[in-house]
Amino acid sequence: MKGIRFILAGIVFGIVMSKSEAVSWYRIQEMFRFQSFHMYGIIGTAVILGVLIVYLIKRFKVKDYSGQPIVFHNKEKSWPRYIIGGTIFGLGWALTGACPGPMFVNIGQGYLVMIIVVFGALIGTYFYGLIKNKLPH
Amino acid sequence: MLEIIRQPWPWYVSGTLIALIMALLLFFGKSFGFSSNLRTICTACGAGKKVDFFDFDWKSQHWNLLFLVGSVMGGVISMLFLQTNEPLKLSAATIHDLKNLGIIFDGQINPKQVFSFDFLMSIKGITVLLGGGFLVGFGSRYAGGCTSGHAISGLSNFQTPSLLAVAGFFTGGLIMTHLLMPFIF
């Protein structure tokens, strides 16, 4: 099965999120209260290494597994959607202590109440699609 | 070896692995972004029939749904095999602040007080959990990505929009934590 590599990548992601404690509601509170370096260390390390990886891919025109060039899509240039949407996201992130990935990892960890949070996120996504054209982007 | 893996991982190990997951997905010809799955699930449930935004070929996102399934499995594996009995090492200042909100630190990953069926069955509980999820779902789609898509993938590629989104994530998080949560809890 060709898709198994994505399942395996997901498993590694789930374990990393768990063992780094990035799935913890407490850790997210600690981050937003600036009371530990932990979460900033995780995101900071990932971004610094990520910058290096993207630079090397572009510099050496690295191909993907099927021989196709790896392309990066630029995000659409504007500001309202990023500032307003981002702020709304942040409100929910601090309240539930979970961004979309960790919500699902938490369900795996046995926090079944997170299913309700995911359900809320699906309603939110649907509602965005519904009123998208009326929002400033 | 297993004993070392069972301990909480230091931030530099975790951060490095997250960057490598991003690299791996790029090598697979995909791009790391988790919240797209929420849109995909809406489409798979038939939302495309009523709303244009969901009218796309969701099968092209099949890989990301598999990644999602894997992440749940990763959570199960961590819970079953990679746990220590030691309480989470939360900073004393956070424990103190949360106590003032009425949330007692229990040493788990998440407070039982918030993530329990008892809390869910209260008006406040359903509002916090369903409403909080709503904000994450609405906000991530409005901003065009979440922590993985913007903070990791976007910033790694020097995308100014992603920097704006991340600034928004923190603005929202700080407003919720410092201004709103004292009224909610």
Side-chain angles (χ1 to χ4, degrees), chain B residues 31-53:
Chain B
S31 124
F32 183 36
F34 203 99
S35 65
S36 314
N37 280 316
L38 297 169
R39 181 189 181 205
T40 308
I41 295 170
C42 286
T43 302
C45 293
K49 292 190 195 96
K50 289 214 172 89
V51 184
D52 283 351
F53 178 65

Side-chain angles (χ1 to χ4, degrees), chain A residues 16 55 57 61-62 76 83-84 86 97 106 117 126 129 134:
Chain A
V16 173
Y55 170 78
I57 289 174
K61 300 191 170 59
V62 177
E76 168 200 334
I83 296 287
I84 306 168
N106 264 304
V117 181
Y126 182 76
K134 299 193 178 77

Side-chain angles (χ1 to χ4, degrees), chain B:
Chain B
M1 183 63 189
L2 195 60
E3 221 20 70
I4 298 172
I5 294 176
R6 278 200 183 122
Q7 302 301 316
W9 298 356
W11 52 267
Y12 46 88
V13 173
S14 309
T16 304
L17 289 170
I18 292 169
L20 290 178
I21 290 168
M22 183 194 80
L24 191 64
L25 291 177
L26 286 171
F27 178 69
F28 290 158
K30 311 295 180 192
S31 124
F32 183 36
F34 203 99
S35 65
S36 314
N37 280 316
L38 297 169
R39 181 189 181 205
T40 308
I41 295 170
C42 286
T43 302
C45 293
K49 292 190 195 96
K50 289 214 172 89
V51 184
D52 283 351
F53 178 65
F54 299 104
D55 186 13
F56 75 108
D57 177 26
W58 68 275
K59 297 243 163 65
S60 66
Q61 287 290 309
H62 194 234
W63 71 271
N64 213 347
L65 290 177
L66 292 175
F67 185 82
L68 180 154
V69 170
S71 70
V72 177
M73 289 163 68
V76 175
I77 292 169
S78 306
M79 189 244 315
L80 291 179
F81 306 113
L82 305 175
Q83 295 257 56
T84 55
N85 293 323
E86 309 226 342
L88 188 91
K89 290 188 179 67
L90 191 67
S91 83
T94 310
I95 295 175
H96 176 262
D97 285 1
L98 292 176
K99 197 174 167 202
N100 286 340
L101 285 180
I103 295 171
I104 309 301
F105 177 60
D106 56 11
Q108 303 294 307
I109 301 172
N110 300 308
K112 260 269 162 283
Q113 252 176 291
V114 180
F115 296 91
S116 66
F117 285 98
D118 282 348
F119 186 63
L120 177 64
M121 289 305 151
S122 65
I123 301 280
K124 188 202 275 184
I126 189 83
T127 312
V128 164
L129 296 167
L130 204 57
F134 182 94
L135 294 170
V136 172
F138 184 87
S140 60
R141 216 61 278 127
Y142 193 176
C146 60
T147 329
S148 50
H150 277 309
I152 311 290
S153 295
L155 291 186
S156 293
N157 191 26
F158 293 120
Q159 296 291 299
T160 317
S162 293
L163 190 62
L164 295 176
V166 173
F169 296 168
F170 273 85
T171 308
L174 292 175
I175 292 172
M176 176 55 71
T177 301
H178 297 277
L179 302 178
L180 302 178
M181 276 177 62
F183 294 100
I184 295 172
F185 289 103

Side-chain angles (χ1 to χ4, degrees), chain A:
Chain A
M1 190 181 136
K2 270 169 68 185
I4 196 130
R5 60 179 187 272
F6 295 113
I7 298 185
L8 290 174
I11 290 177
V12 175
F13 174 73
I15 294 176
V16 173
M17 287 290 110
S18 299
K19 295 316 296 174
S20 66
E21 296 171 339
V23 296
S24 165
W25 185 91
Y26 290 119
R27 286 271 179 244
I28 302 303
Q29 274 298 303
E30 197 180 46
M31 171 178 81
F32 283 129
R33 293 172 191 278
F34 303 105
Q35 287 161 340
S36 166
F37 176 71
H38 187 75
M39 289 301 303
Y40 296 98
I42 294 175
I43 299 172
T45 311
V47 172
I48 290 167
L49 262 173
V51 166
L52 188 69
I53 289 167
V54 172
Y55 170 78
L56 289 174
I57 289 174
K58 287 180 174 171
R59 173 77 178 73
F60 294 102
K61 300 191 170 59
V62 177
K63 305 263 194 298
D64 70 13
Y65 77 108
S66 67
Q68 299 292 317
I70 294 176
V71 282
F72 294 93
H73 300 285
N74 286 335
K75 309 266 184 198
E76 168 200 334
K77 289 254 183 292
S78 78
W79 63 268
R81 68 174 300 179
Y82 301 110
I83 296 287
I84 306 168
T87 303
I88 295 170
F89 173 91
L91 293 169
W93 187 16
L95 188 58
T96 63
C99 42
M103 279 180 195
F104 288 91
V105 180
N106 264 304
I107 293 174
Q109 287 254 6
Y111 287 93
L112 298 183
V113 170
M114 271 296 176
I115 293 171
I116 302 299
V117 181
V118 167
F119 189 59
L122 289 171
I123 300 173
T125 303
Y126 182 76
F127 189 64
Y128 167 75
L130 208 58
I131 65 162
K132 181 176 180 280
N133 295 333
K134 299 193 178 77
L135 297 170
H137 279 76

